[in-house]
PDB file of all heavy atoms in Angstrom:
ATOM      1  N   TRP O  91      -3.168  -9.988  14.919  1.00  0.00           N
ATOM      2  CA  TRP O  91      -4.156  -8.871  14.895  1.00  0.00           C
ATOM      3  C   TRP O  91      -3.835  -7.691  15.734  1.00  0.00           C
ATOM      4  O   TRP O  91      -3.975  -6.512  15.353  1.00  0.00           O
ATOM      5  CB  TRP O  91      -5.588  -9.386  15.192  1.00  0.00           C
ATOM      6  CG  TRP O  91      -6.672  -8.333  14.957  1.00  0.00           C
ATOM      7  CD1 TRP O  91      -7.216  -7.571  15.955  1.00  0.00           C
ATOM      8  CD2 TRP O  91      -7.262  -7.916  13.723  1.00  0.00           C
ATOM      9  NE1 TRP O  91      -8.167  -6.733  15.410  1.00  0.00           N
ATOM     10  CE2 TRP O  91      -8.127  -6.982  14.039  1.00  0.00           C
ATOM     11  CE3 TRP O  91      -7.028  -8.395  12.366  1.00  0.00           C
ATOM     12  CZ2 TRP O  91      -9.019  -6.273  13.106  1.00  0.00           C
ATOM     13  CZ3 TRP O  91      -7.846  -7.747  11.510  1.00  0.00           C
ATOM     14  CH2 TRP O  91      -8.725  -6.737  11.784  1.00  0.00           C
ATOM     15  N   SER O  92      -3.400  -8.032  16.965  1.00  0.00           N
ATOM     16  CA  SER O  92      -3.130  -6.991  17.912  1.00  0.00           C
ATOM     17  C   SER O  92      -1.783  -6.433  18.118  1.00  0.00           C
ATOM     18  O   SER O  92      -1.444  -5.404  18.638  1.00  0.00           O
ATOM     19  CB  SER O  92      -3.655  -7.530  19.472  1.00  0.00           C
ATOM     20  OG  SER O  92      -4.941  -7.900  19.453  1.00  0.00           O
ATOM     21  N   ILE O  93      -0.748  -7.216  17.492  1.00  0.00           N
ATOM     22  CA  ILE O  93       0.651  -6.899  17.630  1.00  0.00           C
ATOM     23  C   ILE O  93       1.205  -6.592  16.167  1.00  0.00           C
ATOM     24  O   ILE O  93       1.689  -5.512  15.891  1.00  0.00           O
ATOM     25  CB  ILE O  93       1.485  -7.827  18.306  1.00  0.00           C
ATOM     26  CG1 ILE O  93       1.000  -7.997  19.710  1.00  0.00           C
ATOM     27  CG2 ILE O  93       2.918  -7.585  18.283  1.00  0.00           C
ATOM     28  CD1 ILE O  93       1.695  -9.167  20.485  1.00  0.00           C
ATOM     29  N   THR O  94       1.186  -7.528  15.354  1.00  0.00           N
ATOM     30  CA  THR O  94       1.770  -7.429  14.052  1.00  0.00           C
ATOM     31  C   THR O  94       1.190  -6.385  13.156  1.00  0.00           C
ATOM     32  O   THR O  94       1.931  -5.495  12.707  1.00  0.00           O
ATOM     33  CB  THR O  94       1.723  -8.771  13.294  1.00  0.00           C
ATOM     34  OG1 THR O  94       2.301  -9.834  14.105  1.00  0.00           O
ATOM     35  CG2 THR O  94       2.495  -8.760  11.974  1.00  0.00           C
ATOM     36  N   LEU O  95      -0.154  -6.353  12.961  1.00  0.00           N
ATOM     37  CA  LEU O  95      -0.812  -5.459  12.193  1.00  0.00           C
ATOM     38  C   LEU O  95      -0.576  -3.934  12.610  1.00  0.00           C
ATOM     39  O   LEU O  95      -0.185  -3.155  11.792  1.00  0.00           O
ATOM     40  CB  LEU O  95      -2.234  -5.788  11.931  1.00  0.00           C
ATOM     41  CG  LEU O  95      -2.546  -6.872  10.925  1.00  0.00           C
ATOM     42  CD1 LEU O  95      -4.149  -7.111  10.867  1.00  0.00           C
ATOM     43  CD2 LEU O  95      -1.968  -6.651   9.547  1.00  0.00           C
ATOM     44  N   PRO O  96      -0.769  -3.675  13.873  1.00  0.00           N
ATOM     45  CA  PRO O  96      -0.613  -2.249  14.290  1.00  0.00           C
ATOM     46  C   PRO O  96       0.867  -1.869  14.063  1.00  0.00           C
ATOM     47  O   PRO O  96       1.090  -0.700  13.611  1.00  0.00           O
ATOM     48  CB  PRO O  96      -0.994  -2.237  15.795  1.00  0.00           C
ATOM     49  CG  PRO O  96      -1.897  -3.392  15.924  1.00  0.00           C
ATOM     50  CD  PRO O  96      -1.360  -4.471  14.980  1.00  0.00           C
ATOM     51  N   LEU O  97       1.888  -2.715  14.377  1.00  0.00           N
ATOM     52  CA  LEU O  97       3.187  -2.259  14.261  1.00  0.00           C
ATOM     53  C   LEU O  97       3.743  -2.190  12.875  1.00  0.00           C
ATOM     54  O   LEU O  97       4.729  -1.548  12.619  1.00  0.00           O
ATOM     55  CB  LEU O  97       4.102  -3.164  15.156  1.00  0.00           C
ATOM     56  CG  LEU O  97       3.867  -3.152  16.675  1.00  0.00           C
ATOM     57  CD1 LEU O  97       4.735  -4.096  17.409  1.00  0.00           C
ATOM     58  CD2 LEU O  97       4.199  -1.719  17.124  1.00  0.00           C
ATOM     59  N   ILE O  98       3.111  -2.839  11.852  1.00  0.00           N
ATOM     60  CA  ILE O  98       3.535  -2.778  10.535  1.00  0.00           C
ATOM     61  C   ILE O  98       2.514  -1.849   9.754  1.00  0.00           C
ATOM     62  O   ILE O  98       2.684  -1.817   8.446  1.00  0.00           O
ATOM     63  CB  ILE O  98       3.591  -4.104   9.875  1.00  0.00           C
ATOM     64  CG1 ILE O  98       2.232  -4.847   9.619  1.00  0.00           C
ATOM     65  CG2 ILE O  98       4.611  -5.112  10.528  1.00  0.00           C
ATOM     66  CD1 ILE O  98       2.278  -5.999   8.674  1.00  0.00           C
ATOM     67  N   SER O  99       1.665  -1.156  10.535  1.00  0.00           N
ATOM     68  CA  SER O  99       0.777  -0.391   9.760  1.00  0.00           C
ATOM     69  C   SER O  99       1.444   0.844   8.919  1.00  0.00           C
ATOM     70  O   SER O  99       0.936   1.211   7.847  1.00  0.00           O
ATOM     71  CB  SER O  99      -0.383   0.280  10.686  1.00  0.00           C
ATOM     72  OG  SER O  99       0.328   0.962  11.858  1.00  0.00           O
ATOM     73  N   PRO O 100       2.596   1.408   9.395  1.00  0.00           N
ATOM     74  CA  PRO O 100       3.164   2.371   8.503  1.00  0.00           C
ATOM     75  C   PRO O 100       3.629   1.763   7.247  1.00  0.00           C
ATOM     76  O   PRO O 100       3.594   2.409   6.204  1.00  0.00           O
ATOM     77  CB  PRO O 100       4.416   2.737   9.402  1.00  0.00           C
ATOM     78  CG  PRO O 100       4.001   2.539  10.764  1.00  0.00           C
ATOM     79  CD  PRO O 100       3.096   1.260  10.769  1.00  0.00           C
ATOM     80  N   VAL O 101       4.103   0.500   7.282  1.00  0.00           N
ATOM     81  CA  VAL O 101       4.532  -0.162   5.981  1.00  0.00           C
ATOM     82  C   VAL O 101       3.263  -0.428   5.192  1.00  0.00           C
ATOM     83  O   VAL O 101       3.338  -0.296   3.907  1.00  0.00           O
ATOM     84  CB  VAL O 101       5.223  -1.521   6.279  1.00  0.00           C
ATOM     85  CG1 VAL O 101       5.496  -2.264   5.076  1.00  0.00           C
ATOM     86  CG2 VAL O 101       6.465  -1.263   7.158  1.00  0.00           C
ATOM     87  N   ILE O 102       2.192  -0.873   5.739  1.00  0.00           N
ATOM     88  CA  ILE O 102       0.958  -1.165   5.011  1.00  0.00           C
ATOM     89  C   ILE O 102       0.462   0.263   4.330  1.00  0.00           C
ATOM     90  O   ILE O 102       0.081   0.279   3.224  1.00  0.00           O
ATOM     91  CB  ILE O 102      -0.119  -1.705   5.869  1.00  0.00           C
ATOM     92  CG1 ILE O 102       0.215  -3.005   6.345  1.00  0.00           C
ATOM     93  CG2 ILE O 102      -1.445  -1.672   5.162  1.00  0.00           C
ATOM     94  CD1 ILE O 102      -0.641  -3.640   7.508  1.00  0.00           C
ATOM     95  N   PHE O 103       0.619   1.366   5.075  1.00  0.00           N
ATOM     96  CA  PHE O 103       0.166   2.724   4.573  1.00  0.00           C
ATOM     97  C   PHE O 103       1.095   2.977   3.332  1.00  0.00           C
ATOM     98  O   PHE O 103       0.588   3.537   2.417  1.00  0.00           O
ATOM     99  CB  PHE O 103       0.241   3.737   5.739  1.00  0.00           C
ATOM    100  CG  PHE O 103      -0.041   5.069   5.316  1.00  0.00           C
ATOM    101  CD1 PHE O 103      -1.373   5.364   4.926  1.00  0.00           C
ATOM    102  CD2 PHE O 103       0.974   6.081   5.308  1.00  0.00           C
ATOM    103  CE1 PHE O 103      -1.609   6.617   4.543  1.00  0.00           C
ATOM    104  CE2 PHE O 103       0.487   7.307   4.961  1.00  0.00           C
ATOM    105  CZ  PHE O 103      -0.748   7.602   4.621  1.00  0.00           C
ATOM    106  N   PHE O 104       2.355   2.750   3.588  1.00  0.00           N
ATOM    107  CA  PHE O 104       3.277   3.061   2.414  1.00  0.00           C
ATOM    108  C   PHE O 104       2.919   2.317   1.107  1.00  0.00           C
ATOM    109  O   PHE O 104       2.854   2.854   0.042  1.00  0.00           O
ATOM    110  CB  PHE O 104       4.728   2.816   2.891  1.00  0.00           C
ATOM    111  CG  PHE O 104       5.798   2.967   1.896  1.00  0.00           C
ATOM    112  CD1 PHE O 104       6.246   4.225   1.471  1.00  0.00           C
ATOM    113  CD2 PHE O 104       6.263   1.822   1.220  1.00  0.00           C
ATOM    114  CE1 PHE O 104       7.123   4.367   0.514  1.00  0.00           C
ATOM    115  CE2 PHE O 104       7.270   1.986   0.292  1.00  0.00           C
ATOM    116  CZ  PHE O 104       7.755   3.241  -0.175  1.00  0.00           C
ATOM    117  N   ASN O 105       2.723   1.050   1.413  1.00  0.00           N
ATOM    118  CA  ASN O 105       2.277   0.259   0.222  1.00  0.00           C
ATOM    119  C   ASN O 105       1.047   0.660  -0.412  1.00  0.00           C
ATOM    120  O   ASN O 105       0.737   0.680  -1.686  1.00  0.00           O
ATOM    121  CB  ASN O 105       2.293  -1.293   0.648  1.00  0.00           C
ATOM    122  CG  ASN O 105       3.657  -1.925   0.722  1.00  0.00           C
ATOM    123  OD1 ASN O 105       4.618  -1.507   0.163  1.00  0.00           O
ATOM    124  ND2 ASN O 105       3.689  -2.893   1.570  1.00  0.00           N
ATOM    125  N   LEU O 106       0.073   1.037   0.490  1.00  0.00           N
ATOM    126  CA  LEU O 106      -1.290   1.501  -0.023  1.00  0.00           C
ATOM    127  C   LEU O 106      -1.144   2.769  -0.825  1.00  0.00           C
ATOM    128  O   LEU O 106      -1.766   2.897  -1.859  1.00  0.00           O
ATOM    129  CB  LEU O 106      -2.163   1.771   1.145  1.00  0.00           C
ATOM    130  CG  LEU O 106      -3.513   2.272   0.865  1.00  0.00           C
ATOM    131  CD1 LEU O 106      -4.362   1.311   0.097  1.00  0.00           C
ATOM    132  CD2 LEU O 106      -4.338   2.591   2.128  1.00  0.00           C
ATOM    133  N   ILE O 107      -0.361   3.720  -0.444  1.00  0.00           N
ATOM    134  CA  ILE O 107      -0.112   4.897  -1.268  1.00  0.00           C
ATOM    135  C   ILE O 107       0.540   4.619  -2.559  1.00  0.00           C
ATOM    136  O   ILE O 107       0.090   5.111  -3.599  1.00  0.00           O
ATOM    137  CB  ILE O 107       0.862   5.882  -0.380  1.00  0.00           C
ATOM    138  CG1 ILE O 107       0.161   6.411   0.845  1.00  0.00           C
ATOM    139  CG2 ILE O 107       1.220   7.116  -1.312  1.00  0.00           C
ATOM    140  CD1 ILE O 107      -1.075   7.332   0.634  1.00  0.00           C
ATOM    141  N   LEU O 108       1.555   3.794  -2.610  1.00  0.00           N
ATOM    142  CA  LEU O 108       2.139   3.431  -3.842  1.00  0.00           C
ATOM    143  C   LEU O 108       1.246   2.669  -4.722  1.00  0.00           C
ATOM    144  O   LEU O 108       1.205   2.784  -5.997  1.00  0.00           O
ATOM    145  CB  LEU O 108       3.385   2.601  -3.584  1.00  0.00           C
ATOM    146  CG  LEU O 108       4.653   3.260  -3.054  1.00  0.00           C
ATOM    147  CD1 LEU O 108       5.698   2.317  -2.811  1.00  0.00           C
ATOM    148  CD2 LEU O 108       5.038   4.451  -3.737  1.00  0.00           C
ATOM    149  N   SER O 109       0.423   1.797  -4.128  1.00  0.00           N
ATOM    150  CA  SER O 109      -0.622   1.033  -4.957  1.00  0.00           C
ATOM    151  C   SER O 109      -1.726   1.946  -5.528  1.00  0.00           C
ATOM    152  O   SER O 109      -2.024   1.761  -6.738  1.00  0.00           O
ATOM    153  CB  SER O 109      -1.262  -0.093  -4.144  1.00  0.00           C
ATOM    154  OG  SER O 109      -0.342  -0.976  -3.617  1.00  0.00           O
ATOM    155  N   VAL O 110      -2.215   2.935  -4.828  1.00  0.00           N
ATOM    156  CA  VAL O 110      -3.192   3.782  -5.306  1.00  0.00           C
ATOM    157  C   VAL O 110      -2.669   4.661  -6.482  1.00  0.00           C
ATOM    158  O   VAL O 110      -3.219   4.807  -7.555  1.00  0.00           O
ATOM    159  CB  VAL O 110      -3.721   4.778  -4.263  1.00  0.00           C
ATOM    160  CG1 VAL O 110      -4.629   5.841  -4.707  1.00  0.00           C
ATOM    161  CG2 VAL O 110      -4.526   3.884  -3.252  1.00  0.00           C
ATOM    162  N   ILE O 111      -1.397   5.146  -6.286  1.00  0.00           N
ATOM    163  CA  ILE O 111      -0.777   5.903  -7.424  1.00  0.00           C
ATOM    164  C   ILE O 111      -0.556   5.123  -8.563  1.00  0.00           C
ATOM    165  O   ILE O 111      -0.747   5.523  -9.703  1.00  0.00           O
ATOM    166  CB  ILE O 111       0.547   6.531  -6.831  1.00  0.00           C
ATOM    167  CG1 ILE O 111       0.341   7.642  -5.755  1.00  0.00           C
ATOM    168  CG2 ILE O 111       1.373   7.244  -8.012  1.00  0.00           C
ATOM    169  CD1 ILE O 111       1.453   8.208  -5.019  1.00  0.00           C
ATOM    170  N   GLY O 112      -0.040   3.771  -8.371  1.00  0.00           N
ATOM    171  CA  GLY O 112       0.319   2.972  -9.436  1.00  0.00           C
ATOM    172  C   GLY O 112      -1.022   2.609 -10.279  1.00  0.00           C
ATOM    173  O   GLY O 112      -0.972   2.529 -11.491  1.00  0.00           O
ATOM    174  N   LEU O 113      -2.134   2.429  -9.461  1.00  0.00           N
ATOM    175  CA  LEU O 113      -3.371   2.118 -10.194  1.00  0.00           C
ATOM    176  C   LEU O 113      -3.889   3.390 -11.029  1.00  0.00           C
ATOM    177  O   LEU O 113      -4.496   3.167 -12.149  1.00  0.00           O
ATOM    178  CB  LEU O 113      -4.488   1.721  -9.293  1.00  0.00           C
ATOM    179  CG  LEU O 113      -4.295   0.351  -8.656  1.00  0.00           C
ATOM    180  CD1 LEU O 113      -5.164  -0.005  -7.422  1.00  0.00           C
ATOM    181  CD2 LEU O 113      -4.537  -0.805  -9.741  1.00  0.00           C
ATOM    182  N   MET O 114      -3.662   4.505 -10.533  1.00  0.00           N
ATOM    183  CA  MET O 114      -4.109   5.688 -11.254  1.00  0.00           C
ATOM    184  C   MET O 114      -3.311   5.877 -12.530  1.00  0.00           C
ATOM    185  O   MET O 114      -3.819   6.613 -13.416  1.00  0.00           O
ATOM    186  CB  MET O 114      -4.037   6.892 -10.332  1.00  0.00           C
ATOM    187  CG  MET O 114      -5.088   6.836  -9.160  1.00  0.00           C
ATOM    188  SD  MET O 114      -6.834   6.530  -9.735  1.00  0.00           S
ATOM    189  CE  MET O 114      -6.975   7.947 -10.863  1.00  0.00           C
ATOM    190  N   ARG O 115      -2.021   5.418 -12.552  1.00  0.00           N
ATOM    191  CA  ARG O 115      -1.258   5.523 -13.760  1.00  0.00           C
ATOM    192  C   ARG O 115      -1.072   4.262 -14.443  1.00  0.00           C
ATOM    193  O   ARG O 115      -0.192   3.976 -15.155  1.00  0.00           O
ATOM    194  CB  ARG O 115       0.190   6.118 -13.341  1.00  0.00           C
ATOM    195  CG  ARG O 115       0.900   5.256 -12.265  1.00  0.00           C
ATOM    196  CD  ARG O 115       2.266   5.792 -12.073  1.00  0.00           C
ATOM    197  NE  ARG O 115       3.134   5.561 -13.121  1.00  0.00           N
ATOM    198  CZ  ARG O 115       3.779   4.435 -13.447  1.00  0.00           C
ATOM    199  NH1 ARG O 115       3.686   3.384 -12.628  1.00  0.00           N
ATOM    200  NH2 ARG O 115       4.596   4.490 -14.491  1.00  0.00           N
ATOM    201  N   TYR O 116      -1.949   3.272 -14.227  1.00  0.00           N
ATOM    202  CA  TYR O 116      -1.818   1.977 -14.868  1.00  0.00           C
ATOM    203  C   TYR O 116      -2.076   2.158 -16.413  1.00  0.00           C
ATOM    204  O   TYR O 116      -3.050   2.668 -16.893  1.00  0.00           O
ATOM    205  CB  TYR O 116      -3.136   1.140 -14.341  1.00  0.00           C
ATOM    206  CG  TYR O 116      -3.075  -0.312 -14.638  1.00  0.00           C
ATOM    207  CD1 TYR O 116      -2.020  -1.025 -14.148  1.00  0.00           C
ATOM    208  CD2 TYR O 116      -3.947  -0.949 -15.441  1.00  0.00           C
ATOM    209  CE1 TYR O 116      -1.888  -2.449 -14.302  1.00  0.00           C
ATOM    210  CE2 TYR O 116      -4.006  -2.229 -15.636  1.00  0.00           C
ATOM    211  CZ  TYR O 116      -2.839  -2.932 -15.129  1.00  0.00           C
ATOM    212  OH  TYR O 116      -2.865  -4.364 -15.475  1.00  0.00           O
ATOM    213  N   PHE O 117      -1.002   1.691 -17.005  1.00  0.00           N
ATOM    214  CA  PHE O 117      -0.965   1.976 -18.480  1.00  0.00           C
ATOM    215  C   PHE O 117      -0.281   0.760 -19.150  1.00  0.00           C
ATOM    216  O   PHE O 117      -0.761   0.308 -20.297  1.00  0.00           O
ATOM    217  CB  PHE O 117      -0.295   3.146 -18.837  1.00  0.00           C
ATOM    218  CG  PHE O 117       0.063   3.448 -20.239  1.00  0.00           C
ATOM    219  CD1 PHE O 117      -0.950   3.924 -21.075  1.00  0.00           C
ATOM    220  CD2 PHE O 117       1.280   3.287 -20.733  1.00  0.00           C
ATOM    221  CE1 PHE O 117      -0.675   4.034 -22.448  1.00  0.00           C
ATOM    222  CE2 PHE O 117       1.640   3.446 -22.018  1.00  0.00           C
ATOM    223  CZ  PHE O 117       0.682   3.818 -22.875  1.00  0.00           C
ATOM    224  N   GLU O 118       0.887   0.411 -18.763  1.00  0.00           N
ATOM    225  CA  GLU O 118       1.764  -0.587 -19.584  1.00  0.00           C
ATOM    226  C   GLU O 118       1.039  -1.838 -20.037  1.00  0.00           C
ATOM    227  O   GLU O 118       1.110  -2.252 -21.163  1.00  0.00           O
ATOM    228  CB  GLU O 118       3.096  -0.804 -18.896  1.00  0.00           C
ATOM    229  CG  GLU O 118       4.018   0.463 -18.754  1.00  0.00           C
ATOM    230  CD  GLU O 118       3.682   1.185 -17.420  1.00  0.00           C
ATOM    231  OE1 GLU O 118       2.650   0.892 -16.789  1.00  0.00           O
ATOM    232  OE2 GLU O 118       4.541   1.986 -16.963  1.00  0.00           O
ATOM    233  N   VAL O 119       0.491  -2.500 -19.057  1.00  0.00           N
ATOM    234  CA  VAL O 119       0.047  -3.911 -19.342  1.00  0.00           C
ATOM    235  C   VAL O 119      -1.103  -3.907 -20.283  1.00  0.00           C
ATOM    236  O   VAL O 119      -1.107  -4.622 -21.189  1.00  0.00           O
ATOM    237  CB  VAL O 119      -0.431  -4.488 -17.946  1.00  0.00           C
ATOM    238  CG1 VAL O 119      -1.080  -5.866 -18.216  1.00  0.00           C
ATOM    239  CG2 VAL O 119       0.845  -4.748 -17.032  1.00  0.00           C
TER     240      VAL O 119
END
């Protein structure tokens, strides 16, 4: 909680942005 999550938060943020964009263009399935 105090080391891993803060230090990978940029990666989480990157995945979050991609996920939101992917959900807004959700079509194929």
Side-chain angles (χ1 to χ4, degrees):
W91 184 262
S92 299
I93 299 175
T94 305
L95 282 182
L97 290 179
I98 68 168
S99 57
V101 175
I102 297 174
F103 179 65
F104 175 76
N105 286 333
L106 179 61
I107 293 293
L108 292 185
S109 298
V110 169
I111 295 174
L113 286 168
M114 292 307 300
R115 56 176 292 275
Y116 192 64
F117 171 77
E118 293 91 346
V119 176

